[in-house]
Amino acid sequence: MKLVRFNDDGGLRIGAVKGDKIVDLVAAGSHWRTIREIVGASKQELAELQALIDRSGPAHLLAEVRLLAPIERPGKYLAIGMNYAKHVEESDRLGVARANQQTTCITGPYDDIDPGVTEKLDYEVELGAVIGTPAKRVSEADAKNHVFGYFVANDVSARDWQFHTPTFTMGKSFDTHGPIGPWIVTADEIADPHALDLRCYVNGELRQQNNTGGMIHNLWAQIAYLSTAFTLETGDLIATGTPEGVGVGMEPQVFLQPGDVIRCEIDGIGAIENRVAAPN
């Protein structure tokens, strides 16, 4: 399944993508009212939902609705830093450390990015994962059983504000700096999350290109490690790290400006695209 949240003339809705159309889940007869509820469903319940989608006709064209962030605000949005070797090299050269982010940064897959007060706005394409069944002290072998699905993330970064806190949380948490989507692809549709090509373009210029197989610590290791310290709850999000090619690592450095368009793609999942607006 590809699950979405969207707005049309009738207000906020949840749906499932079929080709270039969307099945309105509530209108189709689903008792689920939020994507977060679906993320916590059992395998049997998900099978029943899939059967409902299969027999329901699409009611909306993707091109005619506004897609929103594909899950209601999660409890945690955990960003894994320095997880591709060449990005570690460019970051070490700049003295960049690990990061985390607040969930209020999350926004839709095609929403504008407001730079806010930063003068060093940057991009980072990342594979995102959604936790389904809560995970506490799980092994790497069991970790995959706790992933509900995947999405594309742009970990927009205010490089000058990253140094305001030791974990760089401030620079990773500006409002609108967490576009995700365009939907959640359920885990059964992704044979191997560590074999996906990912790319980032700025104004059509390829800036980042790699494969998730290049992660230093794969997703299963990330979940095992994080769940050792605290419970990963249903609906929590993990951004698994970005490859080399970010603006701060270029020589000379190149930061995003109003009017720039950033497109982040991951094969098998989809693409998100966001324009940098004038600071509000």
Side-chain angles (χ1 to χ4, degrees):
M1 290 181 281
K2 294 181 174 65
L3 299 174
V4 293
R5 295 171 65 243
F6 64 100
N7 264 333
D8 69 353
D9 293 339
L12 191 154
R13 302 178 184 277
I14 62 172
V17 176
K18 272 189 172 183
D20 61 352
K21 298 181 177 68
I22 301 174
V23 174
D24 184 323
L25 293 182
V26 175
S30 169
H31 67 279
W32 306 112
R33 292 297 183 268
T34 69
I35 297 296
R36 192 157 180 182
E37 290 175 339
I38 296 173
V39 169
S42 67
K43 289 184 178 180
Q44 178 60 36
E45 289 170 324
L46 292 176
E48 292 170 358
L49 179 61
Q50 181 65 71
L52 174 67
I53 294 167
D54 290 342
R55 65 176 180 263
S56 300
H60 304 269
L61 289 171
L62 268 171
E64 295 180 354
V65 303
R66 178 192 172 206
L67 293 184
L68 308 174
I71 189 169
E72 299 77 16
R73 187 180 296 174
K76 296 185 281 295
Y77 189 12
L78 303 164
I80 307 300
M82 312 308 152
N83 202 25
Y84 289 79
K86 289 186 178 179
H87 183 51
V88 172
E89 293 174 9
E90 66 184 1
S91 298
D92 284 349
R93 173 166 51 83
L94 297 164
V96 176
R98 277 58 177 168
N100 206 347
Q101 51 209 117
Q102 302 296 334
T103 60
T104 49
C105 74
I106 293 173
T107 189
Y110 305 111
D111 290 348
D112 284 353
I113 297 166
D114 178 4
V117 296
T118 183
E119 296 180 355
K120 294 183 177 182
L121 189 69
D122 209 349
Y123 52 85
E124 293 186 359
V125 62
E126 305 199 18
L127 171 67
V130 185
I131 295 297
T133 305
K136 177 62 176 178
R137 288 194 286 270
V138 301
S139 67
E140 290 187 34
D142 185 47
K144 66 177 64 178
N145 298 319
H146 296 268
V147 174
F148 174 82
Y150 304 96
F151 59 90
V152 181
N154 183 359
D155 183 10
V156 180
S157 304
R159 300 300 186 190
D160 43 358
W161 277 67
Q162 283 186 335
F163 293 95
H164 288 205
T165 59
T167 62
F168 291 1
T169 299
M170 290 287 285
K172 293 285 188 174
S173 299
F174 279 33
D175 291 348
T176 77
H177 286 199
I180 64 172
W183 35 67
I184 297 171
V185 178
T186 51
D188 60 296
E189 292 201 12
I190 304 297
D192 184 358
H194 307 109
L196 306 174
D197 287 338
L198 68 171
R199 296 168 295 277
C200 179
Y201 298 85
V202 178
N203 301 326
E205 177 191 357
L206 181 62
R207 295 283 185 86
Q208 294 181 279
Q209 184 174 24
N210 209 312
N211 185 281
T212 54
M215 292 184 194
I216 296 171
H217 305 288
N218 69 30
L219 178 57
W220 317 142
Q222 294 174 32
I223 291 172
Y225 179 76
L226 293 169
S227 72
T228 302
F230 48 80
T231 302
L232 297 175
E233 299 176 310
T234 299
D236 283 352
L237 308 181
I238 299 174
T240 58
T242 196
E244 72 281 2
V246 294
V248 73
M250 298 175 70
E251 295 182 350
Q253 294 176 339
V254 178
F255 297 106
L256 298 171
Q257 303 297 323
D260 286 347
V261 176
I262 308 95
R263 180 178 176 86
C264 296
E265 304 175 346
I266 302 179
D267 290 352
I269 299 178
I272 63 175
E273 186 169 293
N274 308 91
R275 184 183 67 89
V276 180
N280 182 4

